Amino acid sequence: MIPTRIAVAAGDPRARVDLRVGALAPRLISRRERSAHIALASAGMILLGGDRVHVEVDVGAGCVLDLEDVGGTIAYRADAERSAWTLSARVGVGATLLWRGLPFVVSEGADVERRTSLELETGARAVIRETLVLGRHGERGGRVESSFSARDAGGPVLVEQLALDGVAPEPGVLGEHRVLDAVIALGFTPDTTPGDLVLEEPGAIARHLGIETHTSRLDRVWDVWSDVARQKTAGHVDERANEVVERNRSDLIA
């Protein structure tokens, strides 16, 4: 499948936005000089067995990219054929990526590989919402191998791998629960509550395990953490980011 591409770079009077439709269709909601709000919806029926969905994201220096999932994703029965869903993102100097993902549902009989990979440049921040759900209502769910990795100039910041199978639950992982909800903050350390994981490098993870998605407490966490990330970007743009922004403006005028 053709990769879905979303890129934003600072511009005057509005940011330059590059959108390419793949398995997902990005739609511009709004933009300012250094920010863009993009909605993501499925361009067709996904995920079916054998589907390969790839999303490429590039956030230019000093920019804020706000990605909003529309409708979530369902991985359907695959008849033993694996599907894949991959996100690769680069967050530039002093930039911020905010991705509010809706539930990713792994239906009974589905077999999915899901990978998220982030590259954070100097002063970059990200807040990501990921919600994995094993099965639709009344189902035990299928198989999913999920990985999340993030690195900055100094090396890995976060590396996680998780393998789940609704038919054969792994002891000590989800227990009786079918919903794993997470908000991941990188590049800064937000206010946390007991039970949240504070990373060695600036960052934190808030998680919720439950039987239904509506029982999660993380809507409020997302709102607070993403607002903090926006404020930090608005309040402090790295000098190197300003240099890149000025180059972009010069190129636009030329």
Side-chain angles (χ1 to χ4, degrees), residues 69-134:
D69 201 353
V70 178
T73 301
I74 298 178
Y76 295 94
R77 179 177 293 276
D79 295 326
E81 190 172 6
R82 172 167 281 202
S83 56
W85 194 102
T86 304
L87 164 66
S88 300
R90 185 195 72 87
V91 188
V93 175
T96 295
L97 171 63
L98 306 172
W99 182 312
R100 185 170 189 168
L102 290 180
F104 189 100
V105 181
V106 183
S107 301
E108 203 162 284
D111 187 358
V112 184
E113 180 181 18
R114 176 185 166 98
R115 296 188 180 276
T116 301
S117 176
L118 274 67
E119 179 183 344
L120 305 173
E121 297 190 2
T122 303
R125 289 163 292 273
V127 184
I128 311 292
R129 177 84 178 264
E130 288 196 342
T131 308
L132 290 176
V133 182
L134 283 181

Side-chain angles (χ1 to χ4, degrees), residues 3-240:
T4 299
R5 177 171 170 78
I6 302 146
V8 58
D12 188 6
R14 293 183 297 274
R16 292 180 289 168
V17 176
D18 177 23
L19 304 178
R20 181 191 303 160
V21 176
L24 300 179
R27 295 290 182 261
L28 178 64
I29 304 300
S30 64
R31 57 177 165 165
R32 293 185 173 183
E33 183 181 10
R34 294 175 182 265
S35 65
H37 182 189
I38 307 292
L40 273 175
S42 173
M45 189 174 180
I46 57 173
L47 286 164
L48 303 176
D51 282 351
R52 298 287 185 270
V53 175
H54 187 194
V55 183
E56 299 174 350
V57 175
D58 193 304
V59 190
C63 291
V64 176
L65 176 57
D66 196 332
L67 287 175
E68 182 178 356
D69 201 353
V70 178
T73 301
I74 298 178
Y76 295 94
R77 179 177 293 276
D79 295 326
E81 190 172 6
R82 172 167 281 202
S83 56
W85 194 102
T86 304
L87 164 66
S88 300
R90 185 195 72 87
V91 188
V93 175
T96 295
L97 171 63
L98 306 172
W99 182 312
R100 185 170 189 168
L102 290 180
F104 189 100
V105 181
V106 183
S107 301
E108 203 162 284
D111 187 358
V112 184
E113 180 181 18
R114 176 185 166 98
R115 296 188 180 276
T116 301
S117 176
L118 274 67
E119 179 183 344
L120 305 173
E121 297 190 2
T122 303
R125 289 163 292 273
V127 184
I128 311 292
R129 177 84 178 264
E130 288 196 342
T131 308
L132 290 176
V133 182
L134 283 181
R136 292 175 286 185
H137 183 71
E139 294 182 342
R140 291 181 295 177
R143 297 179 56 197
V144 57
E145 291 184 7
S146 179
S147 67
F148 189 108
S149 64
R151 62 183 297 117
D152 61 15
V157 175
L158 175 64
V159 178
E160 289 193 318
Q161 292 184 320
L162 179 65
L164 301 173
D165 190 338
V167 177
E170 189 75 19
V173 180
L174 292 188
E176 63 180 3
H177 305 297
R178 54 187 284 268
V179 175
L180 175 58
D181 196 7
V183 177
I184 302 168
L186 300 169
F188 70 105
T189 302
D191 291 337
T192 57
T193 59
D196 295 341
L197 175 64
V198 178
L199 304 180
E200 182 175 351
E201 297 295 329
I205 304 174
R207 285 199 174 95
H208 167 84
L209 292 177
I211 297 175
E212 303 292 343
T213 56
H214 69 266
T215 63
S216 176
R217 67 177 180 89
L218 297 189
D219 285 347
R220 175 62 177 163
V221 174
W222 164 265
D223 290 341
V224 172
W225 290 11
S226 59
D227 282 348
V228 170
R230 286 191 187 94
Q231 292 165 9
K232 286 182 177 295
T233 306
H236 177 259
V237 178
D238 190 276
E239 290 183 2
R240 288 172 59 193

